Amino acid sequence: MKSSSSITVNPAPTTTPSAAQTVPKSASQCNGSYYDDHDNQLLHVNSIRQGQGGTAASSAPGPDLNNGTASDDLQMRMWWRTRSLNAPSPFQHFGPCGRIMKNSAMVMQIQDPASQRLTWYKPPLTVLVIKKKDSQVLPPFVQLVEWLVQEKHMVVWVESAVLEDKLLRDDVKLEQESSKFQKVHQQYAGVRARFLDLREKLVTFKDGRDDLTDRIDFIVCLGGDGTLLYASQLFQQSVPPVMAFYLGSLGFLTPFQCDNFQEQVTNVLEGHAALTLRSRLRCSIHRKGERRKESLLHSVGGNLLIPSFQRQLNYVELNNGQTGKAGSNNNNGHNNSILVLNEVVINRGPSPYLSNIDIFLEGKYITSVQGDGLIVSTPTGSTAYAAAAGASMIHPSVPAILVTPICPHSLSFRPIVVPAGVELKISISPDSRNTSRVSFDGRNDQELNHGDSLRVTTSIYPVPSICSQDQISDWFDSLAEGLHWNVRKRQKCLDELSDLTTSGSEDTLDDFDNLQIYDA
């Protein structure tokens, strides 16, 4: 399944084909066999050495096998190795008869992460700038917007609340404000003057009222990780490329620094950037009354309802119908689903009783959670709430869904990782003493009643997060800087210990014992 987007993910330019590049169809005249990732189909290659004649296509990349040997055959198979999701594709023929059955229902298709690069179909014209609510972000925000408008001649979108910021307005009655605010207002006089000159050139939107789908080419976030989560929430389908600058407190998802933003943004606009495709979860709540309504509709043949059935539907709608809320689903496809970047959390809320939650995977009952709740997270969210609850940290390029219990009343209930694309169904156990609360990326908190169910699966719309260096370096740098991952006291070297022991100096040994050597 492919979505309409302003970006494509192309392999990095190289002189020789990478391990993840697919082979042109004209290459079928070569020896050996290979897999085409785009068709997900085994292409059989005619052998020259079996008397059929012909020569290898000169346009096909790879080793020259005109004078092929057995070792060349092996080399060809290694050369044409492709990738299924993020791993080398296994051979799909088993013996003379068996093979994997073809399946056209593809959830998503991901290239080799190391080759995911950003390219533009046409030069981007509109950019959305999202900033966090902090006075210290105002100078770099105004400087960036000014540069995008005047130097890059781009149409800049900002949230309407930015224009209402008291520090960026000149009609504020300072005599009614506190002395502290008056002092800060005076400090930003120059920034405010520059912003007022740009005010008429900006395009504004209001969250929850304006639809930004297919209007934005590029997103710049100024702040912490919350700005990236907010950008994900604004786009519930295809997301433009997101460039996140670190101006917050943690900055796990914001790899860029504002010192030389002109050079960095220019590189991105010219298409010189690596991408991390951060998968999201599509969540929908199926209410008990709505399922009852659907069954009644089917039982009487659509909309042709007799009066008795119409009264039953009215009763269902009045007592159980909760339409129009974010995250609810009234069987109208994905219109009432919500996409989350970090996690969806089911918890017991203010109730003093334990949560009893049933988990189903692809319709099969798996287990029940008895505890404080459950976290269903993406690999991106594995380093957030899930990591605090004891789950493993998963690289965002790994296609998976992480299921983590919150304080389970069982010593053997460990977090589990399930394949991306499966559907999880979560419901309140019939004998549970209380209902549960569910929230999506910390927002849209709702009640999950008995008979309701929450369905979670992988969305086909990821968040294309632009890398500062590359996928591997950015992630491990964030682990080291944000979480101080594997920072510990280092074990003493045996050579150093032997040298100190033979010297016979007790003072030196004592001094050495007091040293605290940490990994850089």
Side-chain angles (χ1 to χ4, degrees):
M1 299 176 65
K2 297 182 179 178
S3 60
S4 58
S5 173
S6 59
I7 66 166
T8 57
V9 180
N10 287 346
T14 54
T15 56
T16 59
S18 66
Q21 283 179 291
T22 54
V23 185
K25 294 295 180 66
S26 61
S28 61
Q29 302 175 14
C30 298
N31 297 325
S33 62
Y34 61 85
Y35 290 90
D36 189 336
D37 272 346
H38 292 290
D39 294 337
N40 197 25
Q41 176 182 356
L42 178 66
L43 302 180
H44 296 278
V45 183
N46 295 328
S47 174
I48 302 174
R49 298 189 299 274
Q50 295 179 354
Q52 297 179 4
T55 59
S58 59
S59 61
D64 183 13
L65 298 184
N66 289 334
N67 299 318
T69 62
S71 61
D72 289 336
D73 249 354
L74 177 62
Q75 185 181 5
M76 172 61 78
R77 286 195 293 270
M78 294 298 294
W79 185 274
W80 291 126
R81 73 180 181 92
T82 58
R83 297 189 178 245
S84 172
L85 292 180
N86 295 326
S89 297
F91 195 68
Q92 300 184 13
H93 278 195
F94 314 116
C97 300
R99 67 165 299 171
I100 293 179
M101 184 174 63
K102 293 181 181 180
N103 181 14
S104 60
M106 295 290 292
V107 177
M108 58 182 177
Q109 185 175 0
I110 304 176
Q111 287 181 311
D112 175 10
S115 68
Q116 289 173 177
R117 309 287 298 183
L118 171 66
T119 184
W120 303 97
Y121 288 122
K122 54 185 178 181
L125 299 177
T126 59
V127 55
L128 170 62
V129 180
I130 301 174
K131 76 172 189 69
K132 73 171 187 175
K133 297 179 180 179
D134 189 348
S135 60
Q136 296 181 355
V137 182
L138 292 180
F141 166 73
V142 174
Q143 186 180 7
L144 172 65
V145 171
E146 189 177 44
W147 180 76
L148 290 172
V149 172
Q150 298 178 357
E151 298 294 332
K152 294 300 182 180
H153 308 289
M154 300 185 72
V155 179
V156 178
W157 287 60
V158 297
E159 194 174 7
S160 57
V162 174
L163 303 185
E164 303 301 322
D165 193 330
K166 291 183 178 181
L167 294 176
L168 295 177
R169 295 173 55 183
D170 57 354
D171 57 350
V172 178
K173 297 180 180 179
L174 294 178
E175 62 276 3
Q176 299 179 1
E177 303 292 340
S178 64
S179 58
K180 181 179 180 180
F181 177 84
Q182 294 178 14
K183 183 179 180 180
V184 175
H185 191 272
Q186 185 178 2
Q187 291 177 353
Y188 289 99
V191 175
R192 181 167 53 256
R194 293 165 56 189
F195 180 78
L196 292 176
D197 293 338
L198 300 169
R199 183 185 178 104
E200 300 301 325
K201 299 179 181 179
L202 303 179
V203 183
T204 62
F205 76 96
K206 189 173 182 180
D207 184 17
R209 186 188 65 185
D210 299 321
D211 185 12
L212 299 180
T213 304
D214 297 330
R215 294 187 178 184
I216 304 298
D217 298 327
F218 179 45
I219 302 176
V220 177
C221 294
L222 302 176
D225 296 344
T227 56
L228 187 60
L229 294 175
Y230 180 62
S232 171
Q233 176 208 332
L234 290 175
F235 295 86
Q236 290 294 297
Q237 291 184 3
S238 178
V239 185
V242 183
M243 186 176 187
F245 287 89
Y246 171 62
L247 288 169
S249 56
L250 183 60
F252 199 89
L253 305 177
T254 53
F256 289 93
Q257 302 291 333
C258 282
D259 300 336
N260 58 336
F261 73 87
Q262 296 91 341
E263 178 182 354
Q264 298 178 92
V265 175
T266 300
N267 286 336
V268 173
L269 295 178
E270 292 176 354
H272 307 305
L275 283 178
T276 296
L277 298 183
R278 300 184 179 274
S279 63
R280 295 191 289 178
L281 298 177
R282 176 168 58 83
C283 311
S284 59
I285 295 179
H286 293 245
R287 300 294 182 184
K288 178 181 180 182
E290 291 164 354
R291 292 201 305 274
R292 174 63 175 163
K293 177 180 178 180
E294 182 188 27
S295 64
L296 290 174
L297 286 172
H298 287 304
S299 64
V300 296
N303 294 325
L304 301 177
L305 301 181
I306 59 177
S308 60
F309 276 104
Q310 184 63 56
R311 286 194 297 271
Q312 294 183 46
L313 287 182
N314 292 337
Y315 176 82
V316 168
E317 292 175 349
L318 289 174
N319 292 275
N320 297 297
Q322 300 185 26
T323 59
K325 292 184 179 181
S328 65
N329 190 308
N330 55 1
N331 302 304
N332 289 331
H334 305 330
N335 294 332
N336 291 319
S337 62
I338 184 171
L339 305 187
V340 299
L341 179 59
N342 264 356
E343 72 276 309
V344 53
V345 178
I346 305 95
N347 60 81
R348 61 191 177 97
S351 172
Y353 303 114
L354 294 175
S355 291
N356 283 277
I357 303 170
D358 295 335
I359 305 177
F360 300 83
L361 183 65
E362 294 293 338
K364 177 180 175 59
Y365 172 76
I366 300 299
T367 188
S368 295
V369 182
Q370 182 171 260
D372 283 353
L374 184 71
I375 305 170
V376 181
S377 62
T378 63
T380 297
S382 67
T383 52
Y385 195 178
S392 297
M393 295 181 291
I394 304 176
H395 190 279
S397 295
V398 176
I401 299 176
L402 183 59
V403 180
T404 308
I406 305 174
C407 299
H409 279 226
S410 170
L411 295 177
S412 60
F413 195 169
R414 309 302 301 162
I416 59 173
V417 179
V418 298
V422 301
E423 183 182 72
L424 286 167
K425 175 185 171 183
I426 301 164
S427 60
I428 308 300
S429 300
D431 57 350
S432 177
R433 291 187 177 185
N434 61 293
T435 61
S436 293
R437 306 293 301 182
V438 56
S439 62
F440 309 90
D441 274 345
R443 297 169 176 260
N444 301 317
D445 183 79
Q446 298 183 53
E447 187 173 13
L448 201 62
N449 299 303
H450 289 83
D452 298 342
S453 64
L454 171 68
R455 309 208 176 176
V456 182
T457 188
T458 307
S459 170
I460 62 173
Y461 300 108
V463 174
S465 179
I466 299 174
C467 301
S468 175
Q469 303 174 63
D470 55 69
Q471 291 184 344
I472 302 301
S473 300
D474 283 8
W475 193 65
F476 279 99
D477 286 349
S478 63
L479 287 182
E481 297 175 7
L483 300 181
H484 292 183
W485 179 65
N486 202 30
V487 174
R488 61 182 182 86
K489 186 176 181 179
R490 215 172 79 189
Q491 189 179 32
K492 300 170 185 177
C493 178
L494 290 176
D495 293 337
E496 294 174 352
L497 286 175
S498 61
D499 293 342
L500 293 173
T501 305
T502 55
S503 67
S505 171
E506 295 181 358
D507 293 339
T508 306
L509 279 172
D510 293 338
D511 294 340
F512 187 76
D513 287 338
N514 292 330
L515 288 177
Q516 291 184 347
I517 304 175
Y518 293 90
D519 291 336

mmCIF file of all heavy atoms in Angstrom, residues 173-204:
data_model
loop_
_atom_site.group_PDB
_atom_site.id
_atom_site.type_symbol
_atom_site.label_atom_id
_atom_site.label_comp_id
_atom_site.label_asym_id
_atom_site.label_seq_id
_atom_site.Cartn_x
_atom_site.Cartn_y
_atom_site.Cartn_z
ATOM 1 N N LYS A 173 -1.352 46.046 27.397
ATOM 2 C CA LYS A 173 -1.395 47.076 28.434
ATOM 3 C C LYS A 173 -0.476 46.651 29.575
ATOM 4 O O LYS A 173 -0.845 45.878 30.459
ATOM 5 C CB LYS A 173 -2.831 47.250 28.925
ATOM 6 C CG LYS A 173 -3.779 47.732 27.833
ATOM 7 C CD LYS A 173 -5.204 47.885 28.370
ATOM 8 C CE LYS A 173 -6.145 48.356 27.267
ATOM 9 N NZ LYS A 173 -7.546 48.499 27.761
ATOM 10 N N LEU A 174 0.745 47.185 29.527
ATOM 11 C CA LEU A 174 1.764 46.763 30.475
ATOM 12 C C LEU A 174 1.435 47.160 31.908
ATOM 13 O O LEU A 174 1.863 46.488 32.845
ATOM 14 C CB LEU A 174 3.118 47.363 30.078
ATOM 15 C CG LEU A 174 3.714 46.859 28.754
ATOM 16 C CD1 LEU A 174 5.029 47.556 28.464
ATOM 17 C CD2 LEU A 174 3.929 45.348 28.812
ATOM 18 N N GLU A 175 0.662 48.247 32.089
ATOM 19 C CA GLU A 175 0.355 48.672 33.453
ATOM 20 C C GLU A 175 -0.508 47.644 34.186
ATOM 21 O O GLU A 175 -0.547 47.636 35.426
ATOM 22 C CB GLU A 175 -0.354 50.027 33.432
ATOM 23 C CG GLU A 175 -1.699 50.062 32.723
ATOM 24 C CD GLU A 175 -1.579 50.247 31.212
ATOM 25 O OE1 GLU A 175 -0.413 50.286 30.727
ATOM 26 O OE2 GLU A 175 -2.606 50.363 30.536
ATOM 27 N N GLN A 176 -1.161 46.773 33.425
ATOM 28 C CA GLN A 176 -1.984 45.745 34.053
ATOM 29 C C GLN A 176 -1.229 44.431 34.272
ATOM 30 O O GLN A 176 -1.777 43.484 34.828
ATOM 31 C CB GLN A 176 -3.221 45.466 33.196
ATOM 32 C CG GLN A 176 -4.118 46.680 33.007
ATOM 33 C CD GLN A 176 -5.330 46.375 32.137
ATOM 34 O OE1 GLN A 176 -5.509 45.234 31.696
ATOM 35 N NE2 GLN A 176 -6.171 47.382 31.904
ATOM 36 N N GLU A 177 0.019 44.367 33.815
ATOM 37 C CA GLU A 177 0.824 43.161 33.949
ATOM 38 C C GLU A 177 1.766 43.278 35.138
ATOM 39 O O GLU A 177 1.991 44.366 35.678
ATOM 40 C CB GLU A 177 1.618 42.901 32.663
ATOM 41 C CG GLU A 177 0.771 42.786 31.411
ATOM 42 C CD GLU A 177 -0.089 41.540 31.404
ATOM 43 O OE1 GLU A 177 0.231 40.592 32.152
ATOM 44 O OE2 GLU A 177 -1.094 41.502 30.652
ATOM 45 N N SER A 178 2.333 42.152 35.526
ATOM 46 C CA SER A 178 3.266 42.133 36.651
ATOM 47 C C SER A 178 4.590 42.788 36.265
ATOM 48 O O SER A 178 4.914 42.947 35.075
ATOM 49 C CB SER A 178 3.506 40.691 37.096
ATOM 50 O OG SER A 178 4.126 39.950 36.069
ATOM 51 N N SER A 179 5.352 43.148 37.264
ATOM 52 C CA SER A 179 6.644 43.781 37.017
ATOM 53 C C SER A 179 7.601 42.819 36.311
ATOM 54 O O SER A 179 8.418 43.238 35.481
ATOM 55 C CB SER A 179 7.254 44.257 38.339
ATOM 56 O OG SER A 179 7.397 43.165 39.239
ATOM 57 N N LYS A 180 7.502 41.529 36.628
ATOM 58 C CA LYS A 180 8.358 40.542 35.979
ATOM 59 C C LYS A 180 8.046 40.461 34.487
ATOM 60 O O LYS A 180 8.954 40.409 33.655
ATOM 61 C CB LYS A 180 8.175 39.177 36.638
ATOM 62 C CG LYS A 180 9.049 38.087 36.056
ATOM 63 C CD LYS A 180 8.842 36.766 36.781
ATOM 64 C CE LYS A 180 9.728 35.667 36.182
ATOM 65 N NZ LYS A 180 9.533 34.370 36.877
ATOM 66 N N PHE A 181 6.741 40.466 34.150
ATOM 67 C CA PHE A 181 6.373 40.416 32.739
ATOM 68 C C PHE A 181 6.815 41.690 32.022
ATOM 69 O O PHE A 181 7.273 41.635 30.873
ATOM 70 C CB PHE A 181 4.862 40.235 32.595
ATOM 71 C CG PHE A 181 4.389 40.237 31.159
ATOM 72 C CD1 PHE A 181 4.438 39.083 30.407
ATOM 73 C CD2 PHE A 181 3.899 41.398 30.564
ATOM 74 C CE1 PHE A 181 4.016 39.079 29.087
ATOM 75 C CE2 PHE A 181 3.475 41.401 29.255
ATOM 76 C CZ PHE A 181 3.533 40.233 28.517
ATOM 77 N N GLN A 182 6.696 42.823 32.655
ATOM 78 C CA GLN A 182 7.130 44.075 32.033
ATOM 79 C C GLN A 182 8.613 44.047 31.707
ATOM 80 O O GLN A 182 9.046 44.532 30.658
ATOM 81 C CB GLN A 182 6.804 45.252 32.961
ATOM 82 C CG GLN A 182 5.314 45.497 33.174
ATOM 83 C CD GLN A 182 5.050 46.640 34.129
ATOM 84 O OE1 GLN A 182 5.936 47.428 34.451
ATOM 85 N NE2 GLN A 182 3.819 46.726 34.619
ATOM 86 N N LYS A 183 9.397 43.444 32.595
ATOM 87 C CA LYS A 183 10.831 43.351 32.359
ATOM 88 C C LYS A 183 11.131 42.444 31.171
ATOM 89 O O LYS A 183 11.959 42.772 30.314
ATOM 90 C CB LYS A 183 11.526 42.842 33.617
ATOM 91 C CG LYS A 183 13.035 42.774 33.506
ATOM 92 C CD LYS A 183 13.651 42.281 34.811
ATOM 93 C CE LYS A 183 15.166 42.212 34.690
ATOM 94 N NZ LYS A 183 15.791 41.730 35.955
ATOM 95 N N VAL A 184 10.459 41.279 31.112
ATOM 96 C CA VAL A 184 10.670 40.351 29.995
ATOM 97 C C VAL A 184 10.177 40.964 28.694
ATOM 98 O O VAL A 184 10.815 40.823 27.638
ATOM 99 C CB VAL A 184 9.961 39.015 30.279
ATOM 100 C CG1 VAL A 184 10.065 38.080 29.082
ATOM 101 C CG2 VAL A 184 10.534 38.347 31.525
ATOM 102 N N HIS A 185 9.045 41.668 28.757
ATOM 103 C CA HIS A 185 8.494 42.321 27.567
ATOM 104 C C HIS A 185 9.479 43.336 27.005
ATOM 105 O O HIS A 185 9.616 43.488 25.784
ATOM 106 C CB HIS A 185 7.163 42.987 27.928
ATOM 107 C CG HIS A 185 6.388 43.461 26.738
ATOM 108 N ND1 HIS A 185 6.564 44.713 26.192
ATOM 109 C CD2 HIS A 185 5.425 42.849 25.977
ATOM 110 C CE1 HIS A 185 5.749 44.861 25.162
ATOM 111 N NE2 HIS A 185 5.046 43.743 25.015
ATOM 112 N N GLN A 186 10.181 44.023 27.868
ATOM 113 C CA GLN A 186 11.158 45.011 27.424
ATOM 114 C C GLN A 186 12.384 44.337 26.804
ATOM 115 O O GLN A 186 12.967 44.857 25.845
ATOM 116 C CB GLN A 186 11.576 45.890 28.605
ATOM 117 C CG GLN A 186 12.508 47.031 28.227
ATOM 118 C CD GLN A 186 12.854 47.890 29.441
ATOM 119 O OE1 GLN A 186 12.420 47.596 30.552
ATOM 120 N NE2 GLN A 186 13.627 48.944 29.223
ATOM 121 N N GLN A 187 12.763 43.177 27.338
ATOM 122 C CA GLN A 187 13.925 42.473 26.813
ATOM 123 C C GLN A 187 13.716 42.007 25.370
ATOM 124 O O GLN A 187 14.674 41.931 24.594
ATOM 125 C CB GLN A 187 14.244 41.258 27.696
ATOM 126 C CG GLN A 187 14.764 41.606 29.082
ATOM 127 C CD GLN A 187 14.983 40.367 29.935
ATOM 128 O OE1 GLN A 187 14.622 39.256 29.534
ATOM 129 N NE2 GLN A 187 15.569 40.555 31.100
ATOM 130 N N TYR A 188 12.475 41.699 25.010
ATOM 131 C CA TYR A 188 12.190 41.184 23.674
ATOM 132 C C TYR A 188 11.661 42.266 22.741
ATOM 133 O O TYR A 188 10.948 41.975 21.779
ATOM 134 C CB TYR A 188 11.183 40.038 23.760
ATOM 135 C CG TYR A 188 11.765 38.779 24.355
ATOM 136 C CD1 TYR A 188 11.556 38.453 25.689
ATOM 137 C CD2 TYR A 188 12.535 37.916 23.591
ATOM 138 C CE1 TYR A 188 12.095 37.306 26.250
ATOM 139 C CE2 TYR A 188 13.074 36.766 24.135
ATOM 140 C CZ TYR A 188 12.853 36.472 25.464
ATOM 141 O OH TYR A 188 13.402 35.332 26.019
ATOM 142 N N ALA A 189 12.021 43.511 23.005
ATOM 143 C CA ALA A 189 11.541 44.612 22.155
ATOM 144 C C ALA A 189 12.055 44.469 20.722
ATOM 145 O O ALA A 189 11.301 44.647 19.750
ATOM 146 C CB ALA A 189 11.977 45.944 22.755
ATOM 147 N N GLY A 190 13.344 44.133 20.560
ATOM 148 C CA GLY A 190 13.898 43.979 19.218
ATOM 149 C C GLY A 190 13.304 42.797 18.473
ATOM 150 O O GLY A 190 12.996 42.891 17.273
ATOM 151 N N VAL A 191 13.137 41.690 19.165
ATOM 152 C CA VAL A 191 12.540 40.505 18.545
ATOM 153 C C VAL A 191 11.108 40.787 18.135
ATOM 154 O O VAL A 191 10.660 40.385 17.054
ATOM 155 C CB VAL A 191 12.607 39.312 19.522
ATOM 156 C CG1 VAL A 191 11.876 38.107 18.945
ATOM 157 C CG2 VAL A 191 14.050 38.958 19.841
ATOM 158 N N ARG A 192 10.380 41.509 18.988
ATOM 159 C CA ARG A 192 8.981 41.824 18.697
ATOM 160 C C ARG A 192 8.873 42.718 17.468
ATOM 161 O O ARG A 192 7.987 42.517 16.623
ATOM 162 C CB ARG A 192 8.349 42.496 19.917
ATOM 163 C CG ARG A 192 6.882 42.836 19.739
ATOM 164 C CD ARG A 192 6.230 43.207 21.061
ATOM 165 N NE ARG A 192 6.964 44.252 21.765
ATOM 166 C CZ ARG A 192 7.753 44.044 22.817
ATOM 167 N NH1 ARG A 192 7.923 42.814 23.279
ATOM 168 N NH2 ARG A 192 8.376 45.038 23.403
ATOM 169 N N ALA A 193 9.759 43.684 17.333
ATOM 170 C CA ALA A 193 9.717 44.586 16.179
ATOM 171 C C ALA A 193 9.964 43.827 14.877
ATOM 172 O O ALA A 193 9.301 44.076 13.862
ATOM 173 C CB ALA A 193 10.751 45.699 16.361
ATOM 174 N N ARG A 194 10.908 42.904 14.896
ATOM 175 C CA ARG A 194 11.188 42.103 13.695
ATOM 176 C C ARG A 194 10.008 41.200 13.359
ATOM 177 O O ARG A 194 9.677 41.000 12.185
ATOM 178 C CB ARG A 194 12.450 41.281 13.908
ATOM 179 C CG ARG A 194 13.719 42.105 14.012
ATOM 180 C CD ARG A 194 14.872 41.297 14.581
ATOM 181 N NE ARG A 194 15.138 40.088 13.820
ATOM 182 C CZ ARG A 194 15.977 39.123 14.221
ATOM 183 N NH1 ARG A 194 16.580 39.243 15.397
ATOM 184 N NH2 ARG A 194 16.174 38.070 13.471
ATOM 185 N N PHE A 195 9.349 40.645 14.375
ATOM 186 C CA PHE A 195 8.210 39.770 14.117
ATOM 187 C C PHE A 195 7.024 40.545 13.564
ATOM 188 O O PHE A 195 6.315 40.055 12.669
ATOM 189 C CB PHE A 195 7.807 39.050 15.407
ATOM 190 C CG PHE A 195 6.640 38.124 15.227
ATOM 191 C CD1 PHE A 195 6.795 36.879 14.643
ATOM 192 C CD2 PHE A 195 5.370 38.500 15.643
ATOM 193 C CE1 PHE A 195 5.718 36.025 14.475
ATOM 194 C CE2 PHE A 195 4.288 37.653 15.482
ATOM 195 C CZ PHE A 195 4.459 36.412 14.895
ATOM 196 N N LEU A 196 6.784 41.765 14.060
ATOM 197 C CA LEU A 196 5.658 42.563 13.570
ATOM 198 C C LEU A 196 5.810 42.904 12.097
ATOM 199 O O LEU A 196 4.815 43.064 11.379
ATOM 200 C CB LEU A 196 5.520 43.830 14.415
ATOM 201 C CG LEU A 196 5.075 43.601 15.872
ATOM 202 C CD1 LEU A 196 5.072 44.922 16.637
ATOM 203 C CD2 LEU A 196 3.705 42.954 15.921
ATOM 204 N N ASP A 197 7.056 43.019 11.619
ATOM 205 C CA ASP A 197 7.277 43.276 10.199
ATOM 206 C C ASP A 197 6.917 42.057 9.342
ATOM 207 O O ASP A 197 6.616 42.193 8.151
ATOM 208 C CB ASP A 197 8.745 43.652 9.957
ATOM 209 C CG ASP A 197 9.101 44.991 10.583
ATOM 210 O OD1 ASP A 197 8.179 45.793 10.821
ATOM 211 O OD2 ASP A 197 10.300 45.221 10.854
ATOM 212 N N LEU A 198 6.964 40.858 9.950
ATOM 213 C CA LEU A 198 6.668 39.627 9.215
ATOM 214 C C LEU A 198 5.235 39.155 9.406
ATOM 215 O O LEU A 198 4.784 38.248 8.698
ATOM 216 C CB LEU A 198 7.606 38.498 9.673
ATOM 217 C CG LEU A 198 9.103 38.702 9.486
ATOM 218 C CD1 LEU A 198 9.864 37.622 10.245
ATOM 219 C CD2 LEU A 198 9.466 38.653 8.011
ATOM 220 N N ARG A 199 4.537 39.741 10.348
ATOM 221 C CA ARG A 199 3.236 39.226 10.768
ATOM 222 C C ARG A 199 2.260 39.073 9.601
ATOM 223 O O ARG A 199 1.560 38.059 9.488
ATOM 224 C CB ARG A 199 2.650 40.148 11.841
ATOM 225 C CG ARG A 199 1.329 39.688 12.407
ATOM 226 C CD ARG A 199 0.762 40.724 13.360
ATOM 227 N NE ARG A 199 -0.539 40.323 13.873
ATOM 228 C CZ ARG A 199 -0.762 39.851 15.079
ATOM 229 N NH1 ARG A 199 0.257 39.721 15.934
ATOM 230 N NH2 ARG A 199 -1.972 39.503 15.467
ATOM 231 N N GLU A 200 2.205 40.046 8.721
ATOM 232 C CA GLU A 200 1.236 40.011 7.629
ATOM 233 C C GLU A 200 1.575 38.981 6.559
ATOM 234 O O GLU A 200 0.721 38.633 5.749
ATOM 235 C CB GLU A 200 1.129 41.403 6.985
ATOM 236 C CG GLU A 200 0.676 42.498 7.932
ATOM 237 C CD GLU A 200 -0.697 42.204 8.527
ATOM 238 O OE1 GLU A 200 -1.531 41.617 7.810
ATOM 239 O OE2 GLU A 200 -0.930 42.561 9.697
ATOM 240 N N LYS A 201 2.811 38.477 6.595
ATOM 241 C CA LYS A 201 3.220 37.510 5.577
ATOM 242 C C LYS A 201 3.011 36.066 6.033
ATOM 243 O O LYS A 201 3.257 35.142 5.248
ATOM 244 C CB LYS A 201 4.694 37.726 5.220
ATOM 245 C CG LYS A 201 4.993 39.106 4.658
ATOM 246 C CD LYS A 201 6.472 39.261 4.347
ATOM 247 C CE LYS A 201 6.780 40.657 3.816
ATOM 248 N NZ LYS A 201 8.227 40.827 3.535
ATOM 249 N N LEU A 202 2.596 35.861 7.253
ATOM 250 C CA LEU A 202 2.432 34.527 7.788
ATOM 251 C C LEU A 202 1.015 34.012 7.567
ATOM 252 O O LEU A 202 0.056 34.787 7.555
ATOM 253 C CB LEU A 202 2.767 34.503 9.284
ATOM 254 C CG LEU A 202 4.160 34.996 9.682
ATOM 255 C CD1 LEU A 202 4.337 34.926 11.183
ATOM 256 C CD2 LEU A 202 5.238 34.195 8.976
ATOM 257 N N VAL A 203 0.913 32.710 7.407
ATOM 258 C CA VAL A 203 -0.388 32.038 7.292
ATOM 259 C C VAL A 203 -0.622 31.284 8.600
ATOM 260 O O VAL A 203 0.265 30.573 9.072
ATOM 261 C CB VAL A 203 -0.428 31.071 6.103
ATOM 262 C CG1 VAL A 203 -1.807 30.442 5.975
ATOM 263 C CG2 VAL A 203 -0.038 31.789 4.813
ATOM 264 N N THR A 204 -1.806 31.436 9.161
ATOM 265 C CA THR A 204 -2.093 30.824 10.456
ATOM 266 C C THR A 204 -3.131 29.709 10.310
ATOM 267 O O THR A 204 -3.895 29.665 9.343
ATOM 268 C CB THR A 204 -2.605 31.867 11.461
ATOM 269 O OG1 THR A 204 -3.834 32.419 10.975
ATOM 270 C CG2 THR A 204 -1.581 32.972 11.659
#
